[in-house]
Amino acid sequence: MSNEWWTTFFSGNWLDVQRNMRAERTSEEIDFLVRALNLKPGCRVLDVPCGNGRLAIPLAERGYKVTGVDITTILLQEAQSASQGANPGLELVEMDMRDLSWIETFDAAFCFWGSFGYFDDDGNRRFLKAVHRTLKTGSRFALDIPNIAETILPKLQLRSWSKVGETTVLENIKYRHTESRIDTEWTLVANGISETKTSSMQVYGFRELTFLFSEVGFEVCDTFSSLDCEPYELGRRAYFIVRKM
């Protein structure tokens, strides 16, 4: 498996999966971000990585100044097209999420839809440091992390399938316990065409993440199990809210 699997993963049938997956939760996620990040009218918000702008665009439409960062050209082009290029509150930038160039610019930031954990420990730490630099002191950063150990391991299924839009998605998972990493082979079938892709995600325990956040200058404010801000419970999706100290 390529160490930089994300550079080619977001293409082909996966784009249709991404357009349909979680689309019905967009409004709920936006409401959660506004509440959990304590967003004020006109504040500057960083969405990293932003993908096709599923969250960045509606946030900008609500009047926030949103900067979306992603490394995948086609996703940024989709976001630009979806926003019709006419939203003055939206800025889209093609950039590696580990190499953010802003310094103390944003009032809030978020990393959603399981986009944390692509890299090895050094790469994930580098990403957190990069976000930390972009934020003003006291600003909040929200992370949607479905793959922490306490969430994923109690109910891990090595093989599963689902239907997303018109695409059948089959997952074949291998857990590398010595490295705390999950490798997934994805088979995507749509319109008689089958594609196979691979991804690899680092799995952190709750305590490890807390130390990692602290190491780069964040403190954990809250951890939720749902977009309704329920306290975290074992086996449920995790939403971390951290603050720049």
Side-chain angles (χ1 to χ4, degrees), residues 4-28:
E4 296 192 344
W5 58 268
W6 59 88
T7 60
T8 57
F9 187 86
F10 300 96
S11 61
N13 285 343
W14 181 261
L15 294 178
D16 289 328
V17 172
Q18 182 155 341
R19 293 181 191 110
N20 287 284
M21 193 178 289
R22 293 177 70 84
E24 75 284 354
R25 303 195 69 185
T26 296
S27 179
E28 189 179 1

Side-chain angles (χ1 to χ4, degrees), residues 29-50:
E29 288 177 333
I30 292 294
D31 289 341
F32 171 82
L33 289 169
V34 170
R35 181 171 64 252
L37 294 176
N38 194 26
L39 299 184
K40 305 298 183 185
C43 69
R44 294 198 63 178
V45 184
L46 175 66
D47 177 2
V48 56
C50 68

